[in-house]
Structure formats: C-alpha cells, structure tokens
Amino acid sequence: MPNITIKDIARKFKCSPSTVSRALNNYEHTNIETRNTIQEYAQKMGYQRNSVSLSLLQKNTKTLGIVLPNISQFHESAMVEGLQSVLQPLGYLLNICVTNESYQLEKEYVERLMSNRVDGVFISIAQETYSEVRYEHLQTVMNRNVPLIFIDRQNGDKKTNCVSTDDYLGAYMATEHLINVGCKRIAHLRGPLGVNLAEQRFNGYRDCLYKYRFPIDESLILSANFKIESAIEPTKALFDLPNPPDAIFGVNDQVCFGAFQVIKEKGLKIPDEIAVIGFDNTPISEYFYPSLSTIARKSKPIGEEAAQLFLRQINEPSIANHIILPPELIVRRSSALAN
Amino acid sequence: MPNITIKDIARKFKCSPSTVSRALNNYEHTNIETRNTIQEYAQKMGYQRNSVSLSLLQKNTKTLGIVLPNISQFHESAMVEGLQSVLQPLGYLLNICVTNESYQLEKEYVERLMSNRVDGVFISIAQETYSEVRYEHLQTVMNRNVPLIFIDRQNGDKKTNCVSTDDYLGAYMATEHLINVGCKRIAHLRGPLGVNLAEQRFNGYRDCLYKYRFPIDESLILSANFKIESAIEPTKALFDLPNPPDAIFGVNDQVCFGAFQVIKEKGLKIPDEIAVIGFDNTPISEYFYPSLSTIARKSKPIGEEAAQLFLRQINEPSIANHIILPPELIVRRSSALAN
DNA sequence: CAAACAATTTCAAACGTTTGCATAAGGAAT
DNA sequence: ATTCCTTATGCAAACGTTTGAAATTGTTTG
C-alpha cells in the first residue's frame, strides 16, 4: 500500500539498487533479461519514481513558481495557459500563488518557493510591492541564480527579464482612435497610482492628447482600480460635470463594463452620445451590448514568451531580456461613430 | 552564491550538523549562546532550509495538486482562492494543473503529481475522462492512500470525497422561477452529454417541468458546451421554431450571454418577449444589460470546504464525505416579469 | 596458462535534513 | 573518590535515487 521503492525491488531480486535503477532507466550496459524482468515487476507493482529524492540529488525540481496578484481575469488565466503549453511537455509543474496584491503574502510565497527549490519564478508583482518599493524578497531569488521573470508588471530595473505588453502604445492607439472618430472630450478611468502598467496607459493617453493638441482636462481623469465596481462612482462624477465627456477610455474592459451600467441608467446612447473603449479584449467584451471596442493584449503569447525566456535563462543565465509584445486595436460598436 | 547548507554552517563553527539543525529549530536542550550565534550567522548568510530534503525524510511535501479542466472562469478561480485561503496559512503550496478537458493530460498530470509525492489531490475531472469512464489514474492515487477530493464533477462512486453544488436543485429552482413569473414555453440550452454537472442541471429542469405538468418539448432542449459561442446556433434555432420559447434556462451564464446576442439582434425584448436565467452568478452577469438572473453557486466556499475535507482526511483517512452546497436564486432584470 | 578484454553487477558516496541514542564534560551529592 | 544528574553536543542512520569507479565473472587471445 505504501509506495514501493527501488530498494524493495532490489531485495526482491537479490540485487543492488543500482542495478534496479539502471534497469528502470534502460541503461545500455545492463543485461537485457534482468532489465525486462525488473521493468515488468516494477510495472506490475505500480512503481513510480520518487521525484523528491531525485530533486535532492540533482538540485533541480522541475517545478516553477508563478506569483500573481489574481487569477480571476481572462488575461491571467490565458497567460498561465501559455506558460503551461510550453512547459508541461517538458515535464514542468507550476506552483501558482495568488497574492491578492498583498506584499506580505507575496513575500511569504516567494520564500516558500525558494525553500522548495523551484527552478524558476515568474512574477507579476503586487500593487503593495509596487507602492512600497520593496524588492528584498526578489533579491534573494536573483542572488541564488534562480531565473526570475517578470510578467506584465515589472520593476524599472533594466537588468531583469520581463515580458509585457506595450501598454503605452496601446493606450495611445485607443486614444488616437477616439480622436479619429471625432471625439472631442475624452475621459480616462485610470488605474491605481504606482502600478507601472496603469501609469503607462495613462501616459499613452496623455501623450496622445498632447500630440493632437487636445487640452489635458484634469476633471476628465478619474481613478479606479481594475474592478467593475470601482468605475461606478467615477463615471457618475463624469456625467455630473458641467461639460461632460463624449468618450471614455477605460484602463481595462472591466471598468468599461461598470461605466456601461451608469451610461445605460442615464439613458445615453453608446457610441453616439458617449463612445467607450477598453483594454484587454476580455472574451465577454465582444458580447456586451453594444460590443466593446478594446485594445487586445496577447495574453497567451505572453505566457509562451515568458516560458521561452525561462528556458533560455537556464542555458545562458547572463543575458537579460525585455520582451514587449505589441497591442492590437479592436474596433467594435461602442466606438463605431459615423464620422 | 549557491545555497548555503547546514553542513556549511557546521564547518564554519566546527560543530556537527545536528547542532546547527537544533539551533535553527530552537530546540530547548541547546546552549542559548550557540543557538544565537548560529541563528545570527544563518540569517546573515541568507540560509533557507531545503524543503526537498525534509520532504524526502518526512514523507510529506506540503504541496497539493489541483487538477482542473480550465481556470478561465470565475467559478474555478474563486474556488482556487477558497482552497488557498485555508491552505496557505498552513504552509501548503498548490500545484495547479489545467487539463483543457483532455484525458491524456489529466493522466500525465496526476502521474507527475504522484511522482512528486504531493500530500493530496483535488480534481475536477475532464470531460474526456467522463465520457470514456477511465479512472485508473485516480485509482493509483487512492491505492497510495493519498487524499483525493473531487470538486464539482465527481464520479458516481459513493466511497469518494467530494464537494459540489446541488446542481439538480439549482436547475429546479431556476425553472420553477420561470414558471412562477408566468413563462409557458421554457427552453433549455443544456451542457455536454456525459458531464455529471450538466446532466444534473438538465434533470432538475426536466423534473420541474414534469412536476408542474408542463409538456417536455424536445425541440426546446438544445445542446451547447459551456462556452459563449456554443449558444449562438442553438439560440437561433430556437427562434426559427414555429412556436418559439418565451424563456431560456442556460446551463451557465456564458451560454446566456451568447443567447443575449442573438436575442438583441432579433430585436426581441428581455424579459417581456423572452426571459433568461443562467447559472453560476459570474461577476459580470450583474452588469449585463439587462442584468442576468442566475443561480449562484458558492464558489469560494467550495474551495474552503474541499480544503477542510482534505485536512480531515489527513487525520481520519477512513471517512468519505459528500458535501453538497445549496445554490441560491438571484433574480435580476432578465426574468423580472410583472405577473 | 597467463593476459587481456567484455559484459554485468556491486560499492559507496552524494544530495540536505532530522532525530534517537550515545557520549562527554562538569558539577553536586553521597 | 565514586556515583548520579544535568547540560550540551556528536554519531549515525534514515529518506530514495543516481553514478563514477571498482569488482566480479566469463570469454577470448597470444
């Protein structure tokens, strides 16, 4: 009932564990008959190699840590799938750790992962880590020469590996699109301060307005986090302005869904009275009514690229790489204006 | 740069590894001074216990396997959060494996998890496993006395542990609600054949109609899987009927979103001309227009209960438990009829 | 017959940690 | 001075596997 070991098999055949090990691993310099008998017996008894002992011996665990603020959004789960699709065939297992944006939890998880001697760590750092700028827990990862790959949310350091979307460009494209279809007063529901990704999107929005010589109206820039509910109050505030906007660029699709609700309650027409564009291309965005224009980021490819980056790191630990994937503008009904 | 070990520290202080081990673990019968010096030195050098060796010695890894068909839906990610919220504080790490409904992948993952000697396995079995009814890979888990806990999708066996929602009751409640608000021809977009959860929901629907002496009209029962797109064609087919339905019960919220699109294209009014109710209470369902009535299942509590079940299994491996959480009817606009 | 060789197997160490038992040193009581 | 106790440390085994080097056996060759 308990696990059968190589030693058990060795006892059974009155030979040494080494012989059993070599037989099970199909070594060339072993008698073909003993090999067969041992393999058959192992098969029959349901022998399964204890990877823990192997990990101890070979100093690698074929396990990777993935530390994420959350996994409830499409982007994250698609990214994990991307990682998996590359790494599962190579025999890696993924230890997924959800931090809920907590620094404390992130720190604990990273320590446990290191203690478990994972072969690499993928991390999208928590908002708290951002704002407090504390990277000691990550420093230890790097000190130990364990490949560390940032995803989406990097720290500023250029010596690190990271894979992300060109959020700045995406935001610029979204804003430019709204300008192109004739919007004059473009509001932005921005993400939390201190989160690089949100900052980049804000910058793209701001710089695009600047480029087209639109005024930057502070009253049109309101803060949300990435959740639906967080958009409700700011959106209401927008429409209470003496001079309300004719377009909204949301930091992600979720806040646009929140905005949609307010807009519909007000009885305003999308896109004629207010155009909306989001960011992320959540699967559901296509099925909203009206369908939501958005900036797509290549979620699964991000995971795949991150995996490749890790694999390269194993062989050539020196080179650090920044991979920035281009976003894509997806125009749907919520910004489909005639002009 | 490489990891510092207990032996290194022992060499440094010219003492035995046992002394270091005891010092680091704050054993009572150790000299308080040596204890302090060793602890300080370990701290300074960034010593971190190698859990792999400990796992080998103590035959437990403080790691759990979670095998899921996908993690892209709210229900799954919330469930994982539930697991985490209980198990993280106890020092467990979660190995999450996404099978994409593939039997082959599920089998490979379970084998790797067993080889890694995880302390327990949570599994929501893949559709392929269902249809082909092959459980050998799970049999080995049970043979080894590794706690195995089914989530959502169990096999029929009463000797197993499982946590799920009362899908039958939920479907019954949804159907009954539609009847109560006056619907006469209630269609069902059902889930894939062979998946227990989908079967249960179908049965609840059918039995409720039966109970209220409604005719069971086969032309009103069409198959989808759990994805948005899969609902488009069936919904169109429903409205091409000579006598179309006045209500739709979807196997989950996703198919309702798909149905919504078709309905809106047809220019039909929800709920007046066609009422809709889903299942799962996806966060977005509240923000659809009109907001979607649905049956909520307690996603996070499912994870929490499953975690508790695992903890109980460790102490008392004999008792098998079925925990079935009650669903909740959430009435929103999509079924808010006057009568 | 001795030497060389090939084929197969065993030995022993290693990975890092914990832990029951033994040991050592020192002090106190007899 | 012997015994006993206390306190602190060391020894050695154990967990399961792999692997370089050594050993064993049998066979061929000079």
Side-chain angles (χ1 to χ4, degrees), chain A residues 66-86:
Chain A
I66 303 182
V67 184
L68 299 171
N70 73 73
I71 52 164
S72 66
Q73 293 303 312
F74 166 76
H75 175 67
E76 280 80 15
S77 57
M79 200 264 298
V80 170
E81 273 183 43
L83 283 170
Q84 255 209 159
S85 68
V86 175

Side-chain angles (χ1 to χ4, degrees), chain B residues 210-283:
Chain B
Y210 186 76
K211 179 74 174 286
Y212 282 85
R213 310 211 182 284
F214 276 48
I216 312 274
D217 184 342
E218 295 286 346
S219 67
L220 292 182
I221 301 167
L222 294 176
S223 273
N225 54 37
F226 299 114
K227 299 193 181 143
I228 299 184
E229 311 85 60
S230 71
I232 305 291
E233 288 309 317
T235 308
K236 283 182 179 163
L238 285 176
F239 290 112
D240 287 342
L241 288 175
N243 193 0
D246 59 2
I248 297 176
F249 163 45
V251 68
N252 67 359
D253 290 351
Q254 303 296 310
V255 304
C256 293
F257 300 148
F260 265 42
Q261 196 188 49
V262 175
I263 294 167
K264 283 167 183 165
E265 274 171 9
K266 296 247 177 219
L268 295 170
K269 286 258 179 296
I270 304 173
D272 306 278
E273 294 172 277
I274 179 93
V276 182
I277 188 166
F279 209 118
D280 278 0
N281 192 27
T282 329

Side-chain angles (χ1 to χ4, degrees), chain B residues 15-16 18-19 22 31 34 59:
Chain B
C15 66
S16 75
S18 358
T19 307
R22 284 191 254 254
N31 187 316
T34 40
K59 292 170 176 303

Side-chain angles (χ1 to χ4, degrees), chain B residues 171-205:
Chain B
Y172 191 100
M173 288 160 66
T175 313
E176 190 170 42
H177 163 67
L178 292 173
I179 291 173
N180 286 342
V181 296
C183 298
K184 298 297 174 201
R185 285 180 57 74
I186 301 172
H188 180 38
L189 292 173
R190 61 170 299 168
L193 286 160
V195 176
N196 200 324
L197 165 155
E199 304 276 6
Q200 291 300 315
R201 292 183 188 177
F202 168 73
N203 292 344
Y205 159 80

Side-chain angles (χ1 to χ4, degrees), chain B residues 127-145:
Chain B
Q127 204 171 306
E128 280 185 26
T129 310
Y130 257 122
S131 18
E132 309 192 13
V133 199
R134 293 193 286 171
Y135 296 113
E136 309 98 63
H137 57 312
L138 300 180
Q139 197 55 52
T140 68
V141 180
M142 300 176 75
N143 286 345
R144 301 237 163 92
N145 286 328

Side-chain angles (χ1 to χ4, degrees), chain B residues 321-332:
Chain B
N321 238 317
H322 273 235
I323 294 178
I324 300 181
L325 298 180
E328 185 191 349
L329 172 66
I330 296 181
V331 179
R332 298 207 184 95

